[in-house]
Amino acid sequence: MKIVVIGGTGLIGTNVVNRLRASGHDVVAASPNTGVNTITREGLAEALSNAQVVVDVANSPSFEDKAVLEFFQTSGRNLLAAEAAAGVGHHVALSVVGTGRNPDSGYLRAKDAQEGLIKASGIPYTILQATQFFEFANAIVQSSADGEVFRLSPALFQPIASNDVSAVLADLAVGAPVNGTVEVAGPESIPMDAFARQFLAFKGDKHQVIADTRARYFGAELNDKSLRPLGQPRLGPTRFEDWLAASAARA
Ligand SMILES: NC(=O)c1ccc[n+]([C@@H]2O[C@H](COP(=O)([O-])OP(=O)(O)OC[C@H]3O[C@@H](n4cnc5c(N)ncnc54)[C@H](OP(=O)(O)O)[C@@H]3O)[C@@H](O)[C@H]2O)c1
């Protein structure tokens, strides 16, 4: 099967490309670095020619509210139009658990807009909503810096290893379109401030982490339901402490 992975050079994209190639599929890793750009449309029609499936795991270069909305709207419109022209039969996209119920987050508003375009496109689709990647831990902590301390919400969330997300995505890409949303989350829920403490302790960083119920996560005030799946998600098997140990061993 010819499968085009948009964002195929990124964290998730590289992993999904490798998994699909290992299963014998004809896979195109499409991104600006390989001459395919969903914003300018450069190389897009050529890449999609004869493709049965498109997996969209592109991400915006900027997370600023307006820029990220423009990215996912423009990229989504251009990609879906090119897929319709090429007769692609399955659009698979990676989104975020909680998209649609955190309107104060500019990033999640943009992912909601991306999901809306997919649902309205008429192309058979599967949306995978994943929770926060373990690999995103440093960005979560750094975004909460308040002078010399880190201030994070004690709300529960359920982060996951990107490798576990990639496994589910590769599986969905070769299956029939769900025409709906599948959720995937990590094996354990943890308060976000405790997660930050665990991450910093592992790195030997002694900065203080303060639990603050009003601390915002990329613009959104959180409760225990904001970022956790509400349904019956698929669960990634990797625990955070095992992932930390494995990434230290790799380093
Ligand atoms: N971080 C999280 O915790 C989390 C949680 C749930 C879901 N997600 C979703 O996961 C997805 C993938 O994230 P990631 O961390 O793997 O991203 P990433 O490592 O930052 O990779 C982004 C990819 O997008 C490509 N890209 C950027 N601009 C493009 C354009 N104009 N046209 C085509 N491709 C373009 C990049 O290509 P170049 O290498 O050529 O620049 C790169 O391959 C995102 O959609 C994100 O919303 C993330």
Side-chain angles (χ1 to χ4, degrees), residues 8 10-20 162-167 170:
L11 175 70
I12 295 285
T14 303
N15 191 320
V16 170
V17 164
N18 290 339
R19 285 172 182 276
L20 293 171
S162 69
N163 185 47
D164 293 343
V165 176
S166 303

Side-chain angles (χ1 to χ4, degrees), residues 183-208:
E183 293 179 313
V184 66
E188 298 168 330
S189 291
I190 180 171
M192 198 174 269
D193 65 312
F195 174 83
R197 250 177 240 112
Q198 191 178 349
F199 179 68
L200 290 173
F202 192 83
K203 291 204 316 171
D205 185 323
K206 297 201 178 349
H207 281 93
Q208 193 188 359

Side-chain angles (χ1 to χ4, degrees), residues 126-218:
T126 303
I127 294 171
L128 178 66
Q129 290 188 336
T131 54
Q132 288 62 44
F133 308 156
F134 293 157
E135 286 81 353
F136 203 47
N138 195 50
I140 292 175
V141 173
Q142 296 310 324
S143 73
S144 74
D146 181 10
E148 284 301 298
V149 300
F150 295 109
R151 199 175 285 281
L152 290 104
S153 168
L156 290 171
F157 78 140
Q158 205 170 331
I160 184 168
S162 69
N163 185 47
D164 293 343
V165 176
S166 303
V168 174
L169 209 47
D171 184 39
L172 294 173
V174 298
V178 169
N179 292 316
T181 301
V182 176
E183 293 179 313
V184 66
E188 298 168 330
S189 291
I190 180 171
M192 198 174 269
D193 65 312
F195 174 83
R197 250 177 240 112
Q198 191 178 349
F199 179 68
L200 290 173
F202 192 83
K203 291 204 316 171
D205 185 323
K206 297 201 178 349
H207 281 93
Q208 193 188 359
V209 173
I210 295 172
D212 180 348
T213 51
R214 299 185 61 191
R216 286 178 179 261
Y217 171 76
F218 295 101

Side-chain angles (χ1 to χ4, degrees), residues 2 6 54 57 71 76 84 118 120 133 139 178 183 198 210 235:
K2 178 173 173 184
I6 303 289
V54 169
V57 289
F71 178 86
I118 294 165
F133 308 156
V178 169
E183 293 179 313
Q198 191 178 349
I210 295 172
L235 294 181

Side-chain angles (χ1 to χ4, degrees), residues 84-144:
V88 169
H90 189 187
H91 178 92
V92 182
L94 183 57
S95 188
V96 187
V97 169
T99 291
R101 51 188 147 95
N102 287 285
D104 290 340
S105 160
Y107 190 82
L108 294 184
R109 280 200 303 275
K111 294 299 287 184
D112 197 35
Q114 179 191 15
E115 289 193 12
L117 291 169
I118 294 165
K119 290 170 187 168
S121 71
I123 297 171
Y125 70 93
T126 303
I127 294 171
L128 178 66
Q129 290 188 336
T131 54
Q132 288 62 44
F133 308 156
F134 293 157
E135 286 81 353
F136 203 47
N138 195 50
I140 292 175
V141 173
Q142 296 310 324
S143 73
S144 74

